[in-house]
Amino acid sequence: MIVVGGEALVDLVPGDFKGVWGLAPSRGVGAEPPQDIMDSGLRALVPRLGGGPYNVALAAGRLGAPTAFLSRISGDRFGQALRERLAASEVGLSMIQHGDEPTTLAVVALDDRGSASYTFYTEGTADRLFADPGPLPAEVSVLSLGTLGMVLEPGATAYEAVLRRESARGVLTALDPNVRADLIADPAAYRERFVSWLPDVRLLKLSDDDALWLAAGGELADAVKTWLDAGVDAVVLTHGAGGITVHTGSAPVSVPSAPARVIDTIGAGDTVQGALLAWLHTRNVRQLTEISREEWREALAFAAKAASITVSRSGAEPPKAEEMM
């Protein structure tokens, strides 16, 4: 079983209420959903359920891999909708902790290419108060962590403890830092902490931008080598429209992005991570060092195709297995 740990939140995205999971306001039978509303040049903000790890769990579950979500979710209306969408995507809820605090919010701004930037509202919210649950069930074979879960305290310390303990017992561990620089008060301290995680990380997935931020002005190739030398088995870099590359210590393997009509890029990288985890689970991979170059090419192409479907629709909406046929 795959376990994905980290935050679940609500993205407030420019748009209309069509397709909003369980959160569109009631306007009566047969009524049309509200369209974009302009106020002093601002578009209406629509709630979309998300969070990096949340999207990873959705992607893996929808692609047919047995998946559970490890987090702390509010009991408010947003939290209820987050749980409902996980269940509808075949993601297990048994590891979710309940919180009386509100759900974290992220206000999304989209540029002309559909690329997203975020402003987060995290103070006093439920997910950051995640507590270490102790050892995970024996059937857990893959653990994926990242994003705000590894930044916001006290939850970050709890997730770090889970990472180290599960790595020590042989679980295939994956990390997507998904850097949100505005929430990192001390970049140097975070980079140092990031490096401390690497001996317990088998799969490290990052965007080019995140990798360059973590490299702190150094050469990207040198940073990748440093991360591999620290104990990571595979570093997967996403290049947006430029495709995906995996570095394992031998010659890199790259695939192009899959053709897509881009609506926005929300959840694209998360979909890559979830698709990779699903691919690894389906093939019962326990050691990344055993994957051949051709198998890596197949895995990356699978992830690129999944991401192309996600970017072709508004918000983080990963594909189901039947859409990958």
Side-chain angles (χ1 to χ4, degrees):
M1 178 173 65
I2 298 169
V3 170
V4 182
E7 77 279 359
L9 52 77
V10 169
D11 291 322
L12 298 178
V13 184
D16 62 38
F17 279 86
K18 293 180 181 179
V20 177
W21 181 272
L23 295 173
S26 175
R27 293 168 61 86
V29 176
E32 289 294 320
Q35 302 300 308
D36 291 3
I37 300 170
M38 304 296 290
D39 185 3
S40 300
L42 299 175
R43 293 180 63 188
L45 294 175
V46 178
R48 297 281 182 179
L49 307 177
Y54 183 86
N55 296 333
V56 172
L58 288 181
R62 290 182 179 187
L63 292 172
T67 305
F69 191 50
L70 178 67
S71 187
R72 190 172 187 273
I73 294 181
S74 173
D76 64 14
R77 184 66 190 93
F78 286 148
Q80 295 170 29
L82 286 162
R83 288 183 178 86
E84 290 167 4
R85 189 170 182 232
L86 286 169
S89 298
E90 306 296 329
V91 177
L93 310 181
S94 64
M95 298 184 191
I96 295 176
Q97 302 168 14
H98 174 83
D100 293 326
E101 306 79 12
T103 298
T104 295
L105 300 178
V107 177
V108 180
L110 301 175
D111 66 17
D112 292 340
R113 299 171 299 168
S115 295
S117 59
Y118 301 84
T119 301
F120 291 94
Y121 296 85
T122 64
E123 288 301 318
T125 54
D127 50 0
R128 69 182 301 161
L129 299 178
F130 171 79
D132 183 357
L136 300 183
E139 63 267 27
V140 175
S141 57
V142 178
L143 171 68
S144 177
L145 300 172
T147 318
L148 304 188
M150 302 299 282
V151 174
L152 301 177
E153 295 291 2
T157 294
Y159 283 119
E160 182 177 298
V162 174
L163 171 66
R164 299 199 189 285
R165 184 171 55 244
E166 297 305 308
S167 172
R169 76 175 181 91
V171 169
L172 197 164
T173 52
L175 175 68
D176 181 357
N178 211 358
V179 175
R180 304 302 188 214
D182 290 347
L183 290 178
I184 298 175
D186 186 340
Y190 176 84
R191 292 183 180 107
E192 183 177 348
R193 190 175 189 182
F194 164 77
V195 171
S196 79
W197 297 329
L198 299 184
D200 293 303
V201 174
R202 304 280 69 77
L203 172 65
L204 176 62
K205 178 259 163 192
L206 319 91
S207 68
D208 280 342
D209 288 343
D210 288 349
L212 288 169
W213 187 91
L214 287 164
E219 292 294 327
L220 184 54
D222 293 338
V224 169
K225 183 178 185 304
T226 296
W227 300 334
L228 291 170
D229 290 345
V232 175
D233 291 332
V235 177
V236 172
L237 294 178
T238 58
H239 315 300
I244 312 173
T245 300
V246 62
H247 300 262
T248 60
S250 56
V253 176
S254 297
V255 301
S257 60
R261 178 178 175 270
V262 178
I263 300 300
D264 65 52
T265 62
I266 300 171
D270 305 326
T271 299
V272 168
Q273 181 81 330
L276 287 175
L277 299 179
W279 188 93
L280 292 168
H281 185 276
T282 300
R283 286 149 186 81
N284 199 32
V285 174
R286 295 293 178 267
Q287 298 290 336
L288 299 184
T289 54
E290 297 174 356
I291 302 177
S292 69
R293 290 177 57 80
E294 191 53 43
E295 287 170 330
W296 270 119
R297 192 168 285 109
E298 177 187 334
L300 297 182
F302 180 78
K305 181 176 181 179
S308 75
I309 296 172
T310 297
V311 302
S312 71
R313 42 208 189 193
S314 177
E317 201 64 64
K320 297 180 179 179
E322 54 266 30
E323 295 179 89
M324 297 289 288
M325 300 300 183

